[in-house]
Amino acid sequence: MDGVFKIVFDTIQEGLILTNMNGVICLVNPRTEKLFGYSKLELIGQKIEILIPSEYHKKHVKSRETYQNRPVNRQMGSGMTLYGQRKDGSRFPVEVSLNSFTDNEGNRFVSALITDIHVRKKAQDEVLRINENLEQIVSDRTRELYESTQLFESISKHFPTGSIYVLNLDFFIDYADGMEFVRLKINPKSIIGEDYVQHNNQNRRKVLNLLNTLIENGAVAPITIEKQDEFYTVNASLLKDTSGRLSRILIVENNITQQKKTEDALQKNIQEQQRLNSLKSRFVSFASHEFRTPLTTMSSSADLIRKYLERGEQEKIEKHISRIQHSVIYMTSLLNDFLSLDKIDSGVIQVNWQKVSLKKLFEECLEEVSGLKKPEQQIVIKCLVEEIESDPFLLMSILINLISNGLKYSESNGIVEVSAEKSNDEINIRVKDNGIGIPNHELQNLFTRFFRASNAQEIKGTGLGLHIVSRHVGLLKGKISCTSEEHQGTEFSIHLPIKIN
């Protein structure tokens, strides 16, 4: 396994399993051993079903065969709860992402990224249990009600976040009480005689449908309504008089605003976890491909150099030394991008604000990128600003990235223009090239992680550079924008404050 890929493989915080297309385990990372309790030697050579509860083996084999015929990158078991089985027989809920790829020899493999979601599942189950218990409490209370003001008052005190209403069969309020009235500082007697539907005018249609359905069917499922940015469940049941005839309607409203906020936060967390899992899966796929290519080049060039040394073919030796050097430069660029992104995501970057000579910084950038110029390419600098308050390291990183892109995506006689001028309390820095440009419909995704324009797929790149640039500009309290036209060129504009208060 390539050295860099092995580091990624061994340190990733999810289980990662590599199988051939027959479901035989070829490789597992340390996290997989910890999750399932097996050693690497116990798993390699076994069918993947060893990690799945036995009752699902037959179904999984069939699913695996279907996947062999149409291997695509996807989330496994969407909408379902999947379980892994440890060596000791215990089970735990998991989320699985599948990725199919082919190695240099044409062999196809499947990688599975496995996440233990028992904490998330436990939280979801707890929210569901709370909801069910609340509904059961309300249901039990409403079944026991009868026409007794004293009982109504007693019940209302048992709903610290709710209120109760008793309506006649024309939906007018005969009685109202509850701690929610106290919280809102409303006298419940002031609404006696009001139309309950009109009282909930913001939710008029839902409430009217609830009451009509109750009268028609004798029972109805609870609904959720919103009043003044707060959320309530509304439970309704019919009351009978002493002779058994329907006479009243009992309404129990319970404030679930906090519960809903918790559910929304949980849902956002789940979506964020899914997004991160997707990014991790894409990263593993990306890293395995991007690192393998230069490593293969270096390996093959080293073998050829050994042969050419024996023959004394110096020109060919120098050619392959150059190939190795370019591969090292590319891998260094990859690692720098990953390290920069990790520092940004971890929040460990501290902006070192200081006075910076912009002209001097431009000259240093020019020296850094001079080795990237193609024959006859030019870099034209026009700096009309003496000094700016910024972080020289971050600012230089931004400029080198943008100038490098301008050179990379331009022809050998292309021109990259770099300029800076003052406008009010801002410094406007522009980097313009006359290269291949970016399709107009793709500009909105330009600063997205791993994004690469459709017309740049044949040119080496990670899809991380502009994302990192935009994050660095944000750290410098600035803004970045881009205008571009295919086959005409691209211009990036950066607006930075002259001075930080």
Side-chain angles (χ1 to χ4, degrees):
M1 185 185 298
D2 297 338
V4 176
F5 181 68
K6 187 176 188 304
I7 293 173
V8 175
F9 193 85
D10 288 345
T11 58
I12 193 169
Q13 293 303 302
E14 275 69 34
L16 188 57
I17 301 174
L18 186 70
T19 73
N20 62 24
M21 295 306 287
N22 293 319
V24 176
I25 299 173
C26 303
L27 206 59
V28 298
N29 69 342
R31 179 59 177 167
T32 301
E33 297 177 85
K34 188 173 181 180
L35 281 175
F36 292 93
Y38 288 98
S39 71
K40 178 168 62 176
L41 294 178
E42 290 176 303
L43 289 175
I44 293 178
Q46 297 287 339
K47 290 278 189 173
I48 190 67
E49 282 76 26
I50 191 176
L51 304 178
I52 300 170
S54 58
E55 63 266 29
Y56 300 116
H57 282 190
K58 188 173 181 181
K59 183 177 180 181
H60 187 268
V61 170
K62 186 175 179 181
S63 297
R64 178 160 50 76
E65 291 172 351
T66 301
Y67 184 81
Q68 290 174 8
N69 297 327
R70 189 171 176 268
V72 294
N73 300 345
R74 63 178 176 83
Q75 196 84 5
M76 183 177 174
S78 180
M80 301 167 54
T81 299
L82 304 178
Y83 290 91
Q85 181 165 297
R86 301 185 180 92
K87 182 178 179 180
D88 62 8
S90 61
R91 302 177 180 186
F92 61 103
V94 297
E95 192 170 78
V96 182
S97 298
L98 299 179
N99 178 50
S100 172
F101 67 94
T102 304
D103 67 9
N104 294 334
E105 298 176 0
N107 299 313
R108 184 170 285 279
F109 297 88
V110 176
S111 66
L113 190 69
I114 301 170
T115 304
D116 182 351
I117 61 169
H118 78 275
V119 174
R120 185 202 309 167
K121 186 73 168 57
K122 184 177 180 181
Q124 290 173 321
D125 291 343
E126 179 64 14
V127 170
L128 183 61
R129 185 189 67 79
I130 291 172
N131 284 340
E132 290 175 345
N133 286 348
L134 182 60
E135 291 177 6
Q136 186 61 46
I137 290 171
V138 173
S139 177
D140 291 343
R141 298 290 188 204
T142 55
R143 281 198 302 267
E144 297 169 358
L145 288 174
Y146 61 91
E147 289 187 321
S148 168
T149 300
Q150 183 179 2
L151 185 57
F152 292 151
E153 291 174 351
S154 175
I155 291 174
S156 68
K157 300 303 184 289
H158 286 82
F159 287 90
T161 59
S163 52
I164 67 170
Y165 301 81
V166 178
L167 317 180
N168 61 29
L169 297 182
D170 293 321
F171 308 153
F172 286 91
I173 301 171
D174 285 347
Y175 177 86
D177 200 1
M179 299 306 294
E180 188 69 3
F181 287 110
V182 175
R183 185 183 74 84
L184 296 174
K185 298 180 180 179
I186 297 174
N187 183 355
K189 293 181 180 179
S190 66
I191 63 171
I192 301 299
E194 286 189 16
D195 184 338
Y196 180 74
V197 177
Q198 191 64 37
H199 180 68
N200 287 278
N201 194 50
Q202 183 180 347
N203 307 277
R204 180 183 180 85
R205 183 172 297 181
K206 291 178 71 173
V207 170
L208 185 59
N209 183 63
L210 172 82
L211 296 174
N212 286 334
T213 303
L214 177 66
I215 295 295
E216 183 178 345
N217 299 330
V220 69
I223 63 170
T224 300
I225 62 174
E226 183 179 359
K227 295 192 289 187
Q228 297 178 345
D229 298 326
E230 296 196 334
F231 294 88
Y232 297 80
T233 56
V234 180
N235 289 268
S237 61
L238 293 171
L239 299 176
K240 297 180 180 180
D241 59 20
T242 54
S243 63
R245 292 180 302 180
L246 298 179
S247 62
R248 303 282 180 87
I249 299 170
L250 176 68
I251 300 289
V252 179
E253 292 183 1
N254 194 46
N255 191 322
I256 60 165
T257 303
Q258 190 57 48
Q259 176 186 324
K260 194 169 191 313
K261 286 181 179 178
T262 302
E263 291 175 349
D264 290 344
L266 178 61
Q267 184 61 33
K268 287 180 181 178
N269 183 57
I270 291 171
Q271 291 172 351
E272 178 63 13
Q273 289 296 323
Q274 291 172 338
R275 186 186 71 82
L276 290 175
N277 286 338
S278 175
L279 281 176
K280 289 172 185 175
S281 180
R282 288 172 64 189
F283 171 77
V284 170
S285 176
F286 168 82
S288 65
H289 177 269
E290 291 298 323
F291 283 115
R292 183 181 291 111
T293 300
L295 286 170
T296 301
T297 299
M298 293 164 66
S299 177
S300 63
S301 290
D303 290 338
L304 289 170
I305 287 172
R306 190 178 294 110
K307 293 179 182 179
Y308 295 143
L309 278 172
E310 296 172 357
R311 303 175 190 171
E313 300 182 49
Q314 187 62 32
E315 184 178 341
K316 291 182 178 179
I317 291 173
E318 291 178 357
K319 174 185 174 182
H320 285 282
I321 289 175
S322 178
R323 289 183 67 194
I324 291 174
Q325 288 174 332
H326 280 92
S327 293
V328 169
I329 291 171
Y330 179 62
M331 289 184 68
T332 301
S333 173
L334 284 176
L335 289 171
N336 285 339
D337 281 350
F338 289 140
L339 289 172
S340 295
L341 194 58
D342 180 64
K343 287 180 180 178
I344 294 171
D345 288 341
S346 302
V348 299
I349 293 182
Q350 297 293 323
V351 180
N352 180 23
W353 297 105
Q354 57 184 277
K355 290 182 179 180
V356 179
S357 169
L358 208 51
K359 287 185 177 180
K360 184 177 179 181
L361 189 73
F362 277 15
E363 291 170 359
E364 291 176 357
C365 289
L366 192 60
E367 290 179 11
E368 285 288 330
V369 301
S370 59
L372 301 176
K373 289 196 298 182
K374 301 170 189 172
E376 299 183 24
Q377 277 189 333
Q378 297 180 52
I379 302 174
V380 179
I381 291 180
K382 181 181 179 182
C383 184
L384 302 179
V385 179
E386 289 292 334
E387 202 172 69
I388 183 174
E389 191 170 338
S390 188
D391 183 315
F393 173 80
L394 293 180
L395 190 52
M396 191 167 182
S397 173
I398 291 167
L399 290 172
I400 288 176
N401 198 304
L402 294 179
I403 297 171
S404 300
N405 278 353
L407 296 171
K408 180 165 62 173
Y409 296 113
S410 297
E411 299 295 335
S412 58
N413 60 349
I415 299 175
V416 176
E417 301 175 24
V418 186
S419 64
E421 61 183 8
K422 182 179 177 181
S423 175
N424 298 326
D425 293 328
E426 285 187 338
I427 297 294
N428 297 328
I429 300 175
R430 291 183 172 83
V431 179
K432 182 180 180 180
D433 65 63
N434 56 358
I436 63 174
I438 303 163
N440 185 61
H441 67 279
E442 296 182 0
L443 285 173
Q444 60 183 355
N445 301 317
L446 193 58
F447 300 108
T448 304
R449 193 179 306 203
F450 294 118
F451 171 78
R452 302 206 66 216
S454 58
N455 61 343
Q457 298 300 313
E458 300 302 320
I459 303 174
K460 279 188 176 182
T462 65
L464 291 175
L466 289 179
H467 176 74
I468 293 170
V469 164
S470 68
R471 300 285 292 274
H472 281 171
V473 171
L475 289 172
L476 296 180
K477 302 185 184 301
K479 295 180 180 179
I480 184 170
S481 60
C482 175
T483 57
S484 185
E485 185 175 346
E486 275 194 276
H487 312 300
Q488 300 298 317
T490 301
E491 179 176 326
F492 288 93
S493 298
I494 301 171
H495 306 282
L496 298 173
I498 297 176
K499 190 173 183 180
I500 304 300
N501 296 324

